[in-house]
Amino acid sequence: MAPGDEVTLDNCDQEPIHIPGLVQPHGALLAFDASGCLRYVSAQAATLLPTALPVLGEPLAPQHFDALPEVHAALADGQREPIAGQPAHLEVQLGGRPYDLIVHAIGTTVVAEFEPRPQDAQAHADFAIAAHRAMGKLKRQTDLDALLRVATSAVRELTGFDRVMAYRFRHDDSGEVVAEVKAEDLEPFEGRRYPASDIPAQARRLYVINTLRLIADVSATPQPVLEAARTSSPLDMSHCVLRSVSPVHIEYLRNMGVGASMSISIVIDGALWGMLACHHRSALQVPYTVRMACDVVAQVLAANVQSLLARDRAREAEAAVELRASVINAAVHADDLVTALAPLAPALASAFDAPALLLAQEGRLLVHGAISRDDAADLIQGLRELPEPHDDVLSTQAIGRHLLANASAATAGWCGLLGLRFDSMLGGWLVLLRREQIETIHWGGRPEKEYTSGPRGPRLTPRGSFEVWKEEVRGTSAPWNDAQLALARQLLDELARATTARMADLSRART
Ligand code: BLA
């Protein structure tokens, strides 16, 4: 897709959002080539900046910004040391007004962006204290939910947004609002799920390298970036602070009644783990320094999330070792595995995050959880009748679609199955079950009339997003993760070993 082609709901993951040729109109952009000539300028730069500017195609000369030697120096410095993605920041006065000047290099091009400092920008001292307090609080949190809540509160306190959410990506790039602070009269979004397509892949890639974006006024008309020569390539705005965002996303925000939006990436191990996403009902120009403090909050947050996740993984691994030992203990020389393991059913189910568990061998069947005995027996029968499996660990997110089309358990909403065939002679199965994802999530949204719908239709509304997510996950459970699959394999080995040992005992007793 080329810049200027029409963006639709079907091709928006192809939209080259890094070269929109447009900036948000609250600031001005100037970009210079390696020889110091002005190659790109945003249309309103001359109106916004009360100073002499070079003409397109002409070099930056000392008389430009003559009152501002430091601006000239920053631009010259940028040209000597082009470090992409590492912007330099200056506070400058133009015509008696304060501006934030952000300079960065992309390739050999040096980009200077000017943002007028909002008149009511929080006093420096207050804001530094608030930022400092937020970092301290973030560092003290020892559980993930509390950590995310503290981060959303900190960003809300620093910026004044009406709503700040922590949005966490799931295994399939869909997302969930896992924490939220908001103005009281706004409808809560916490717990909501959104499909991967609400933040297309190219946007996610960009958000890993450029971690903060502000859409200061959703209803402002973007300004074109003029080019010195038609033959030159469009300016790569991946690292620009004024980059104008995709029209599809603007329509989405407008439909939701959002007047300003900001989001900050939570990057862990080079991948986008989540975002802090902020909404305001009217326009909101968050000063650059405040945005940078929010970016630091997100970095501290990411580091803490990473260490809490590592701690949780270590705890889970420890619990798995203990569980395995209990299983070995209970199973060793047990005459009847089903009875011997019954007391461990709750711990086993919980280790696999499975609300139901079945254990069967010969004519015995243990049922744990809210599945009917008939559905359980039918499922075990179905598994026993399957053709000889390649693997004694079976896993699926969709029993009805991929394993047993006619299982009554599947009809009753059981979709995820992790099955361990530990005794092929006597039909020994340990089965963990999960429900359909949708059954566990309820739409708490207000009626759709709360939202408007633009030219691209109702898809770009919270309800439209939820419907897409529901379609994508219909008939499936959440997936089994690697740790759970590894534990399954270990337990299978132990149960199979116990079964073999019992057979050996029995045949010894017979001889
Ligand atoms: C970008 N989509 C985004 C962004 C967010 C979301 C946070 C980053 C830009 C920003 O900070 O506003 C999505 N925002 C959400 C979600 C919530 C939220 C899910 O607050 C939940 C509470 N968007 C769509 C569809 C398409 C789409 C259907 O919903 C395309 C078919 C596109 N979203 C889209 C694009 C971008 C985007 C192209 C990139 C915008 C840019 O940076 O230019």
Side-chain angles (χ1 to χ4, degrees):
M1 196 180 160
D5 285 358
E6 201 201 338
V7 191
T8 66
L9 287 174
D10 296 322
N11 68 9
C12 71
D13 58 339
Q14 308 292 319
E15 184 189 355
I17 60 171
H18 64 299
I19 46 170
L22 296 165
V23 289
Q24 300 184 46
H26 61 271
L29 175 146
L30 289 83
F32 301 90
D33 64 17
S35 60
C37 293
L38 185 66
R39 300 255 47 116
Y40 305 89
V41 65
S42 62
Q44 277 185 334
T47 324
L48 252 156
L49 303 177
T51 185
L53 296 177
V55 173
L56 262 181
E58 295 201 348
L60 179 68
Q63 76 269 20
H64 302 122
F65 304 104
D66 53 2
L68 291 168
E70 72 273 30
V71 172
H72 201 266
L75 297 179
D77 268 359
Q79 280 163 251
R80 261 189 271 116
E81 276 182 56
I83 312 165
Q86 296 235 325
H89 171 231
L90 280 180
E91 296 173 30
V92 297
Q93 296 283 328
L94 295 176
R97 268 206 70 178
Y99 287 76
D100 285 301
L101 165 61
I102 304 108
V103 183
H104 77 277
I106 179 117
T108 55
T109 304
V110 174
V111 185
E113 294 169 277
F114 293 82
E115 284 186 3
R117 187 64 72 84
Q119 302 294 354
D120 55 355
Q122 206 178 354
H124 244 295
D126 291 0
F127 146 72
I129 289 166
H132 189 257
R133 200 172 42 225
M135 302 309 167
K137 228 171 159 189
L138 276 179
K139 287 185 185 144
R140 288 196 298 277
Q141 301 310 311
T142 53
D143 88 84
L144 192 58
D145 288 344
L147 178 64
L148 292 166
R149 248 192 333 270
V150 167
T152 50
S153 301
V155 169
R156 184 152 188 243
E157 195 190 333
L158 287 168
T159 58
F161 273 102
D162 288 335
R163 181 200 299 281
V164 181
M165 297 166 280
Y167 187 72
R168 179 179 181 174
F169 294 119
R170 293 161 53 82
H171 57 94
D172 57 358
D173 286 343
S174 67
E176 178 177 5
V177 178
V178 287
E180 177 180 47
V181 283
K182 61 171 193 68
E184 260 176 29
D185 52 336
L186 281 174
E187 142 186 51
F189 284 0
E190 192 165 341
R192 283 203 186 162
R193 298 289 173 86
Y194 297 86
S197 50
D198 278 20
I199 312 175
Q202 86 280 30
R204 285 164 206 263
R205 281 195 299 275
L206 179 58
Y207 298 170
V208 171
I209 57 165
N210 184 349
T211 51
L212 187 145
R213 54 245 129 235
L214 169 71
I215 306 164
D217 184 356
V218 167
S219 48
T221 310
Q223 290 296 308
V225 174
L226 311 172
E227 295 178 30
R230 282 267 136 248
T231 49
S232 63
S233 49
L235 176 63
D236 180 343
M237 296 178 67
S238 298
H239 294 281
C240 288
V241 294
L242 293 172
R243 181 177 65 84
S244 176
V245 305
S246 165
V248 177
H249 185 54
I250 292 290
E251 186 173 325
Y252 178 89
L253 293 172
R254 218 178 255 154
N255 291 346
M256 265 202 282
V258 170
S261 167
M262 182 173 95
S263 61
I264 322 161
S265 314
I266 306 170
V267 179
I268 296 183
D269 286 335
L272 201 58
W273 181 87
M275 300 206 285
L276 294 172
C278 318
H279 292 169
H280 207 58
R281 283 169 286 191
S282 51
L284 188 67
Q285 174 54 60
V286 182
Y288 182 75
T289 44
V290 175
R291 272 143 54 205
M292 288 306 97
C294 292
D295 209 21
V296 175
V297 165
Q299 285 169 27
V300 174
L301 172 65
N304 284 16
V305 167
Q306 185 168 23
S307 61
L308 288 183
L309 292 177
R311 186 200 64 184
D312 288 351
R313 269 196 303 272
R315 283 186 182 166
E316 276 164 26
E318 244 170 64
V321 169
E322 275 173 32
L323 187 60
R324 188 175 158 203
S326 312
V327 167
I328 295 172
N329 241 343
V332 86
H333 300 308
D335 276 342
D336 165 8
L337 265 185
V338 174
T339 309
L341 291 178
L344 292 177
L348 279 165
S350 130
F352 286 96
D353 202 5
L357 172 152
L358 315 178
L359 183 61
Q361 198 177 27
E362 289 191 278
R364 287 177 299 278
L365 171 64
L366 168 79
V367 180
H368 169 82
I371 177 171
S372 78
R373 213 175 160 81
D374 284 351
D375 286 348
D378 171 71
L379 191 61
I380 295 293
Q381 191 54 35
L383 290 171
R384 285 178 174 161
E385 285 168 7
L386 281 176
E388 188 72 6
H390 294 300
D391 190 344
D392 286 332
V393 174
L394 271 185
S395 77
T396 178
Q397 285 176 255
I399 299 176
R401 216 175 297 157
H402 298 136
L403 198 63
L404 295 164
N406 299 319
S408 57
T411 321
W414 294 97
C415 295
L417 177 143
L418 181 55
L420 286 58
R421 192 177 75 137
F422 60 87
D423 180 359
S424 55
M425 302 273 289
L426 301 177
W429 280 89
L430 171 60
V431 177
L432 298 137
L433 295 168
R434 281 186 185 161
R435 289 198 164 277
E436 188 181 28
Q437 299 178 65
I438 295 168
E439 281 211 6
T440 59
I441 311 283
H442 293 286
W443 174 263
R446 291 185 203 175
E448 190 64 3
K449 62 178 159 35
E450 293 281 328
Y451 302 102
T452 57
S453 156
R456 291 174 182 86
R459 162 65 186 92
L460 294 169
T461 58
R463 172 82 68 176
S465 284
F466 189 65
E467 293 302 327
V468 169
W469 178 77
K470 260 178 29 185
E471 275 316 304
E472 284 175 3
V473 300
R474 185 168 300 288
T476 65
S477 73
W480 306 97
N481 69 29
D482 290 346
Q484 289 157 346
L485 292 170
L487 177 61
R489 230 161 254 294
Q490 292 174 345
L491 293 179
L492 174 74
D493 286 349
E494 299 309 340
L495 295 177
R497 218 190 311 268
T499 303
T500 319
R502 180 176 165 240
M503 297 288 222
D505 286 351
L506 283 179
S507 66
R508 227 175 285 125
R510 258 188 241 119
T511 52

Short mmCIF file of all heavy atoms in Angstrom, two decimals, residues 235-268:
data_model
loop_
_atom_site.label_atom_id
_atom_site.label_comp_id
_atom_site.label_asym_id
_atom_site.label_seq_id
_atom_site.Cartn_x
_atom_site.Cartn_y
_atom_site.Cartn_z
N LEU A 235 9.38 11.53 4.22
CA LEU A 235 10.13 11.54 5.48
C LEU A 235 9.69 10.37 6.36
O LEU A 235 8.49 10.19 6.63
CB LEU A 235 9.88 12.87 6.20
CG LEU A 235 10.53 13.01 7.58
CD1 LEU A 235 12.06 12.96 7.47
CD2 LEU A 235 10.09 14.30 8.26
N ASP A 236 10.66 9.58 6.82
CA ASP A 236 10.36 8.50 7.76
C ASP A 236 10.13 9.13 9.14
O ASP A 236 11.05 9.66 9.76
CB ASP A 236 11.55 7.52 7.80
CG ASP A 236 11.29 6.37 8.77
OD1 ASP A 236 10.39 6.47 9.61
OD2 ASP A 236 12.03 5.37 8.67
N MET A 237 8.89 9.05 9.60
CA MET A 237 8.52 9.74 10.85
C MET A 237 8.42 8.78 12.04
O MET A 237 7.81 9.12 13.06
CB MET A 237 7.21 10.50 10.64
CG MET A 237 7.36 11.60 9.60
SD MET A 237 5.86 12.52 9.26
CE MET A 237 5.60 13.36 10.79
N SER A 238 9.08 7.61 11.91
CA SER A 238 9.01 6.61 12.99
C SER A 238 9.32 7.20 14.36
O SER A 238 8.75 6.78 15.36
CB SER A 238 10.01 5.48 12.74
OG SER A 238 9.70 4.82 11.55
N HIS A 239 10.27 8.13 14.42
CA HIS A 239 10.69 8.66 15.72
C HIS A 239 10.16 10.07 15.98
O HIS A 239 10.60 10.72 16.92
CB HIS A 239 12.22 8.64 15.82
CG HIS A 239 12.77 7.25 15.83
ND1 HIS A 239 12.76 6.47 16.95
CD2 HIS A 239 13.28 6.50 14.83
CE1 HIS A 239 13.26 5.28 16.65
NE2 HIS A 239 13.59 5.28 15.37
N CYS A 240 9.26 10.55 15.12
CA CYS A 240 8.76 11.91 15.31
C CYS A 240 7.70 11.97 16.42
O CYS A 240 6.92 11.05 16.58
CB CYS A 240 8.11 12.41 14.02
SG CYS A 240 9.33 12.77 12.75
N VAL A 241 7.69 13.08 17.13
CA VAL A 241 6.67 13.24 18.17
C VAL A 241 5.38 13.82 17.59
O VAL A 241 4.32 13.74 18.21
CB VAL A 241 7.16 14.13 19.35
CG1 VAL A 241 8.29 13.43 20.10
CG2 VAL A 241 7.57 15.51 18.89
N LEU A 242 5.48 14.43 16.41
CA LEU A 242 4.30 15.07 15.82
C LEU A 242 3.62 14.21 14.76
O LEU A 242 2.63 14.62 14.16
CB LEU A 242 4.70 16.42 15.18
CG LEU A 242 5.14 17.52 16.14
CD1 LEU A 242 5.69 18.72 15.36
CD2 LEU A 242 3.98 17.96 17.03
N ARG A 243 4.13 13.00 14.52
CA ARG A 243 3.57 12.13 13.47
C ARG A 243 2.04 12.08 13.59
O ARG A 243 1.50 11.89 14.67
CB ARG A 243 4.14 10.71 13.61
CG ARG A 243 3.65 9.73 12.56
CD ARG A 243 4.30 8.37 12.72
NE ARG A 243 3.94 7.72 13.97
CZ ARG A 243 2.84 7.00 14.16
NH1 ARG A 243 2.00 6.80 13.16
NH2 ARG A 243 2.58 6.47 15.33
N SER A 244 1.39 12.26 12.44
CA SER A 244 -0.07 12.20 12.43
C SER A 244 -0.47 10.72 12.35
O SER A 244 0.13 9.96 11.59
CB SER A 244 -0.57 12.96 11.21
OG SER A 244 -1.95 12.85 11.13
N VAL A 245 -1.46 10.31 13.14
CA VAL A 245 -1.77 8.88 13.21
C VAL A 245 -2.81 8.48 12.19
O VAL A 245 -3.50 9.30 11.59
CB VAL A 245 -2.19 8.42 14.62
CG1 VAL A 245 -1.15 8.78 15.65
CG2 VAL A 245 -3.54 8.99 14.98
N SER A 246 -2.91 7.16 12.02
CA SER A 246 -3.79 6.55 11.03
C SER A 246 -5.23 7.05 11.13
O SER A 246 -5.80 7.13 12.22
CB SER A 246 -3.75 5.04 11.27
OG SER A 246 -4.81 4.44 10.58
N PRO A 247 -5.85 7.35 9.97
CA PRO A 247 -7.25 7.81 9.98
C PRO A 247 -8.22 6.77 10.54
O PRO A 247 -9.25 7.12 11.11
CB PRO A 247 -7.55 8.09 8.50
CG PRO A 247 -6.47 7.42 7.72
CD PRO A 247 -5.28 7.33 8.62
N VAL A 248 -7.87 5.48 10.39
CA VAL A 248 -8.74 4.43 10.95
C VAL A 248 -8.77 4.55 12.47
O VAL A 248 -9.82 4.47 13.11
CB VAL A 248 -8.24 3.01 10.56
CG1 VAL A 248 -9.11 1.93 11.20
CG2 VAL A 248 -8.21 2.85 9.06
N HIS A 249 -7.59 4.76 13.03
CA HIS A 249 -7.51 4.85 14.48
C HIS A 249 -8.21 6.12 14.98
O HIS A 249 -8.86 6.12 16.02
CB HIS A 249 -6.06 4.79 14.94
CG HIS A 249 -5.94 4.76 16.44
ND1 HIS A 249 -6.60 3.83 17.20
CD2 HIS A 249 -5.28 5.55 17.31
CE1 HIS A 249 -6.35 4.05 18.48
NE2 HIS A 249 -5.54 5.09 18.58
N ILE A 250 -8.08 7.20 14.20
CA ILE A 250 -8.76 8.45 14.57
C ILE A 250 -10.28 8.22 14.61
O ILE A 250 -10.97 8.64 15.54
CB ILE A 250 -8.41 9.60 13.58
CG1 ILE A 250 -6.94 9.99 13.73
CG2 ILE A 250 -9.34 10.80 13.76
CD1 ILE A 250 -6.60 10.71 15.02
N GLU A 251 -10.79 7.50 13.61
CA GLU A 251 -12.23 7.23 13.57
C GLU A 251 -12.65 6.41 14.80
O GLU A 251 -13.68 6.66 15.42
CB GLU A 251 -12.58 6.49 12.28
CG GLU A 251 -14.08 6.30 12.09
CD GLU A 251 -14.42 5.72 10.71
OE1 GLU A 251 -13.73 6.06 9.73
OE2 GLU A 251 -15.36 4.92 10.64
N TYR A 252 -11.83 5.44 15.17
CA TYR A 252 -12.08 4.58 16.34
C TYR A 252 -12.19 5.43 17.60
O TYR A 252 -13.11 5.29 18.39
CB TYR A 252 -10.91 3.60 16.41
CG TYR A 252 -10.86 2.61 17.53
CD1 TYR A 252 -11.46 1.36 17.42
CD2 TYR A 252 -10.13 2.86 18.69
CE1 TYR A 252 -11.35 0.42 18.43
CE2 TYR A 252 -10.01 1.93 19.70
CZ TYR A 252 -10.63 0.70 19.56
OH TYR A 252 -10.52 -0.23 20.56
N LEU A 253 -11.23 6.35 17.76
CA LEU A 253 -11.23 7.20 18.95
C LEU A 253 -12.45 8.13 18.96
O LEU A 253 -13.11 8.31 19.98
CB LEU A 253 -9.94 8.02 19.01
CG LEU A 253 -8.66 7.20 19.24
CD1 LEU A 253 -7.43 8.09 19.08
CD2 LEU A 253 -8.65 6.55 20.62
N ARG A 254 -12.75 8.68 17.78
CA ARG A 254 -13.88 9.59 17.67
C ARG A 254 -15.18 8.87 18.03
O ARG A 254 -16.01 9.39 18.76
CB ARG A 254 -13.93 10.11 16.23
CG ARG A 254 -14.31 11.55 16.15
CD ARG A 254 -14.31 12.03 14.74
NE ARG A 254 -13.15 12.86 14.49
CZ ARG A 254 -12.58 13.03 13.31
NH1 ARG A 254 -13.05 12.38 12.25
NH2 ARG A 254 -11.57 13.83 13.18
N ASN A 255 -15.34 7.66 17.49
CA ASN A 255 -16.56 6.88 17.78
C ASN A 255 -16.73 6.64 19.28
O ASN A 255 -17.84 6.54 19.78
CB ASN A 255 -16.53 5.52 17.07
CG ASN A 255 -16.65 5.66 15.57
OD1 ASN A 255 -17.01 6.72 15.07
ND2 ASN A 255 -16.35 4.59 14.85
N MET A 256 -15.61 6.55 19.97
CA MET A 256 -15.66 6.28 21.41
C MET A 256 -15.81 7.55 22.23
O MET A 256 -15.82 7.51 23.45
CB MET A 256 -14.36 5.60 21.86
CG MET A 256 -14.45 4.10 21.89
SD MET A 256 -13.19 3.43 23.00
CE MET A 256 -11.75 3.55 22.01
N GLY A 257 -15.85 8.69 21.56
CA GLY A 257 -15.97 9.95 22.28
C GLY A 257 -14.66 10.40 22.91
O GLY A 257 -14.66 11.15 23.88
N VAL A 258 -13.53 9.93 22.35
CA VAL A 258 -12.22 10.29 22.89
C VAL A 258 -11.68 11.52 22.16
O VAL A 258 -11.68 11.57 20.93
CB VAL A 258 -11.24 9.10 22.76
CG1 VAL A 258 -9.81 9.51 23.08
CG2 VAL A 258 -11.69 7.94 23.63
N GLY A 259 -11.25 12.54 22.92
CA GLY A 259 -10.75 13.77 22.32
C GLY A 259 -9.24 13.83 22.25
O GLY A 259 -8.66 14.56 21.44
N ALA A 260 -8.56 13.07 23.12
CA ALA A 260 -7.09 12.99 23.09
C ALA A 260 -6.71 11.61 23.59
O ALA A 260 -7.39 11.04 24.44
CB ALA A 260 -6.47 14.05 23.99
N SER A 261 -5.61 11.08 23.03
CA SER A 261 -5.18 9.73 23.40
C SER A 261 -3.67 9.71 23.51
O SER A 261 -2.97 10.37 22.75
CB SER A 261 -5.66 8.75 22.33
OG SER A 261 -5.03 7.50 22.48
N MET A 262 -3.18 8.96 24.48
CA MET A 262 -1.73 8.77 24.57
C MET A 262 -1.51 7.31 24.94
O MET A 262 -2.29 6.74 25.69
CB MET A 262 -1.16 9.68 25.67
CG MET A 262 0.35 9.59 25.80
SD MET A 262 1.00 10.83 26.97
CE MET A 262 1.06 9.86 28.47
N SER A 263 -0.48 6.71 24.37
CA SER A 263 -0.17 5.35 24.82
C SER A 263 1.33 5.18 24.94
O SER A 263 2.10 5.78 24.18
CB SER A 263 -0.80 4.29 23.93
OG SER A 263 -0.32 4.38 22.62
N ILE A 264 1.73 4.39 25.92
CA ILE A 264 3.14 4.19 26.22
C ILE A 264 3.39 2.69 26.22
O ILE A 264 2.67 1.93 26.87
CB ILE A 264 3.52 4.75 27.60
CG1 ILE A 264 2.76 6.05 27.88
CG2 ILE A 264 5.01 4.97 27.71
CD1 ILE A 264 2.72 6.40 29.36
N SER A 265 4.41 2.26 25.49
CA SER A 265 4.68 0.84 25.36
C SER A 265 5.31 0.28 26.63
O SER A 265 6.12 0.94 27.27
CB SER A 265 5.67 0.60 24.21
OG SER A 265 5.28 1.33 23.09
N ILE A 266 4.92 -0.95 26.97
CA ILE A 266 5.62 -1.69 28.03
C ILE A 266 6.39 -2.79 27.30
O ILE A 266 5.80 -3.75 26.80
CB ILE A 266 4.63 -2.29 29.05
CG1 ILE A 266 3.70 -1.20 29.60
CG2 ILE A 266 5.37 -2.98 30.18
CD1 ILE A 266 2.53 -1.74 30.43
N VAL A 267 7.70 -2.57 27.16
CA VAL A 267 8.52 -3.47 26.33
C VAL A 267 9.33 -4.38 27.25
O VAL A 267 10.04 -3.90 28.13
CB VAL A 267 9.47 -2.66 25.42
CG1 VAL A 267 10.35 -3.58 24.58
CG2 VAL A 267 8.67 -1.73 24.52
N ILE A 268 9.18 -5.69 27.05
CA ILE A 268 9.95 -6.66 27.83
C ILE A 268 10.67 -7.59 26.88
O ILE A 268 10.05 -8.16 25.98
CB ILE A 268 9.03 -7.45 28.79
CG1 ILE A 268 8.42 -6.49 29.82
CG2 ILE A 268 9.80 -8.57 29.49
CD1 ILE A 268 7.54 -7.14 30.86
#
